[in-house]
Amino acid sequence: MKNSNNLTQELIKYVLSQGADLAGAAGTKTISSERNLVHGDFKYVIVAAIRLSESVLAEITDYPTKTYYHHYRTVNMALDQLALKIVRFLQAGGHKAFPVPASQLVDWEKQRGIFSHKHAAVEAGLGWLGRNNLLVTPDCGSQIRLVSVLTDAELDAGRPLDQDCGECRDCIDACPASAIADDPAFFDHERCYSQLDTFVRKKLAGQHICGICVKACSPSRRKKL
């Protein structure tokens, strides 16, 4: 039987080999019950990220483009396929595994799903929760999408990074809804959702997405900080 360290290293190596740009493991005990609605004895989670195209994001001005909408859906589908591969990898080793959809909301106004990918990613040490209410990573900024697989396999949990957004406030300046505050705790979900709803009603996007603050939190910008 593999020990937790060997299994974790092997699993992360596998996830990266299957197309992920980032991957990490975390324990689920540190994730609050309101952010984890999955039933079952899953003590650990593997989180994976795929980087978005900075060129597609560059086309966004003050509303989401049709190309971004297509790209967003394509990356989500790739993440769901990746999650399926992770499930098969874990089940082949005799473990239980529960794939959380990359993009499935059960509470639209609060933009919440059955499990918080971004909070798991914070616990795994992939990044931190930024002012824009998204995961911010050292190398990719917020220009990523995430997926998670919960498991009963014993994994070595990562540690949260001792980093934050520092002096960067680009997302605050860019947000058309004025939903982003200096303190991430005061992110205005209602203003954000209202703006997303406006985009949908104007038929600018076929889904409640934006991408403006994602574009603002760019890898090139982060490397200069």
Side-chain angles (χ1 to χ4, degrees), residues 18-50:
Q18 295 302 306
D21 293 298
L22 301 169
T28 58
K29 286 185 178 180
T30 54
I31 300 171
S32 67
S33 57
E34 67 177 0
R35 296 181 179 126
N36 182 5
L37 306 180
V38 179
H39 300 292
D41 187 25
F42 301 111
K43 296 180 179 180
Y44 293 90
V45 58
I46 183 82
V47 190
I50 291 178

Side-chain angles (χ1 to χ4, degrees), residues 28-218:
T28 58
K29 286 185 178 180
T30 54
I31 300 171
S32 67
S33 57
E34 67 177 0
R35 296 181 179 126
N36 182 5
L37 306 180
V38 179
H39 300 292
D41 187 25
F42 301 111
K43 296 180 179 180
Y44 293 90
V45 58
I46 183 82
V47 190
I50 291 178
R51 181 179 170 182
L52 295 167
S53 166
E54 198 166 5
S55 297
V56 170
L57 289 166
E59 293 185 341
I60 297 174
T61 53
D62 53 356
Y63 58 87
T65 64
K66 298 292 186 182
T67 303
Y68 174 61
Y69 171 55
H70 177 80
H71 183 56
Y72 177 94
R73 294 182 65 195
T74 300
V75 174
N76 283 339
M77 286 188 285
L79 285 165
D80 285 335
Q81 290 297 314
L82 176 60
L84 179 58
K85 292 179 180 180
I86 296 171
V87 168
R88 295 183 67 189
F89 179 97
L90 288 165
Q91 288 185 161
H95 306 291
K96 294 180 180 179
F98 185 101
V100 180
S103 183
Q104 180 193 52
L105 297 179
V106 294
D107 187 334
W108 278 96
E109 292 190 8
K110 292 184 179 180
Q111 298 287 289
R112 288 182 179 175
I114 60 173
F115 182 82
S116 177
H117 303 302
K118 64 187 177 186
H119 285 92
V122 169
E123 294 300 317
L126 299 186
W128 60 91
L129 192 62
R131 293 186 171 94
N132 57 7
N133 197 46
L134 299 173
L135 182 76
V136 180
T137 68
D139 294 328
C140 302
S142 286
Q143 297 187 358
I144 56 169
R145 296 291 299 160
L146 296 162
V147 76
S148 304
V149 176
L150 284 77
T151 181
D152 64 353
E154 291 287 331
L155 301 176
D156 273 0
R159 296 181 179 179
L161 300 178
D162 186 19
Q163 290 181 249
D164 57 30
C165 295
E167 298 299 317
C168 181
R169 290 171 175 78
D170 288 358
C171 61
I172 295 178
D173 297 333
C175 181
S178 298
I180 305 173
D182 193 64
D183 186 339
F186 292 103
F187 180 85
D188 194 324
H189 292 273
E190 292 184 4
R191 279 179 177 269
C192 178
Y193 179 77
S194 179
Q195 184 66 61
L196 301 183
D197 203 43
T198 297
F199 289 148
V200 171
R201 284 188 284 104
K202 289 184 177 180
K203 298 184 178 180
L204 298 172
Q207 190 172 336
H208 286 75
I209 60 173
C210 175
I212 295 174
C213 70
V214 176
K215 173 188 175 181
C217 190
S218 70

